[in-house]
Amino acid sequence: MSSRTAAAPAAVPHSRTEDAVAIGVGVTLISVGVAFLASAGLLTGGMAGLAFVLHYATGIGFGKLFFALNLPFYWLALRKLGLEFTLKTFAAVALLSVLSELQAQLLQISQFQPLYAALTGGLIMGMGFLVLFRHRCSLGGVGILALYLQDRHGWRAGKVQMAVDCCIVLLALATVEPMRVLWSVAGAVALNLVLAMNHRPGRYMGTPC
């Protein structure tokens, strides 16, 4: 039998241990990216971006704000994406909130060039999100709302996400200088570039259990 006609290997489900390790790895990477952005006074999109805006405006810790902002979305996640996804997402959000609060003790950065922080932080966060997505997990928030509105009202999830991110960027201009907002956009592009190149159907054989 030729290689062209050979059947594709069956996808092997992730074990629960693999899921737990992946959540730890993915969230740790994302927390490092968040630390890079915070050290340069930058932000990103989604609930993390809104948490950054509120953090810069109020001084409340990013982790506390990020955890609180995600609370209303778990009901939607449970209804639309199931209990397993919701539990994984809650665990990931809680872990990121804790790590973000501990970053001052775990990772100390004395100086960071903003554009480098934006690009490097975006790439690291993109790799972290890639790990989470491949284990059917997310960091909640806007992504869940976008999927809900797409199912309920037919609104394109990508457009909803983009509209919310644009609003967050505009809101950021009230507390963050325009050049830093521009660098933050560059970081968001780097993050999404990682996902666009690597998170495609058919390129990954593993499936969630």
Side-chain angles (χ1 to χ4, degrees):
M1 182 181 294
S2 68
S3 59
R4 291 185 177 181
T5 58
V12 179
H14 295 299
S15 69
R16 297 195 183 280
T17 299
E18 289 172 332
D19 284 339
V21 172
I23 290 173
V25 171
V27 171
T28 299
L29 289 172
I30 293 170
S31 72
V32 173
V34 167
F36 281 21
L37 297 180
S39 69
L42 307 178
L43 63 147
T44 187
M47 284 296 103
L50 184 56
F52 267 125
V53 172
L54 294 176
H55 167 64
Y56 295 142
T58 66
I60 299 173
F62 169 87
K64 296 183 181 70
L65 290 167
F66 182 69
F67 184 82
L69 288 171
N70 273 288
L71 290 176
F73 296 97
Y74 294 119
W75 178 76
L76 289 178
L78 187 61
R79 285 191 59 191
K80 294 298 178 182
L81 299 170
L83 178 61
E84 182 181 355
F85 174 88
T86 304
L87 291 176
K88 289 179 183 178
T89 296
F90 180 84
V93 169
L95 181 57
L96 180 59
S97 299
V98 171
L99 287 178
S100 298
E101 292 295 309
L102 295 176
Q103 284 294 8
Q105 290 77 41
L106 300 175
L107 179 63
Q108 297 182 5
I109 303 172
S110 59
Q111 186 175 4
F112 231 144
Q113 200 281 332
L115 182 57
Y116 179 79
L119 295 177
T120 306
L123 292 174
I124 294 173
M125 291 177 69
M127 294 303 298
F129 276 113
L130 186 63
V131 173
L132 294 184
F133 291 166
R134 287 181 170 178
H135 286 260
R136 199 168 182 267
C137 177
S138 78
L139 285 177
V142 178
I144 295 173
L145 177 62
L147 290 174
Y148 173 78
L149 292 175
Q150 179 172 275
D151 291 343
R152 185 69 179 270
H153 301 291
W155 300 358
R156 294 287 296 275
K159 291 183 178 180
V160 172
Q161 181 88 42
M162 183 182 298
V164 172
D165 285 348
C166 287
C167 291
I168 291 173
V169 169
L170 291 175
L171 184 62
L173 291 172
T175 57
V176 181
E177 62 184 82
M179 197 63 199
R180 292 188 185 275
V181 174
L182 183 60
W183 285 324
S184 299
V185 171
V189 171
L191 187 160
N192 284 282
L193 186 61
V194 172
L195 297 178
M197 290 191 302
N198 295 282
H199 190 57
R200 294 183 182 180
R203 284 193 172 180
Y204 185 66
M205 297 305 298
T207 60
C209 60

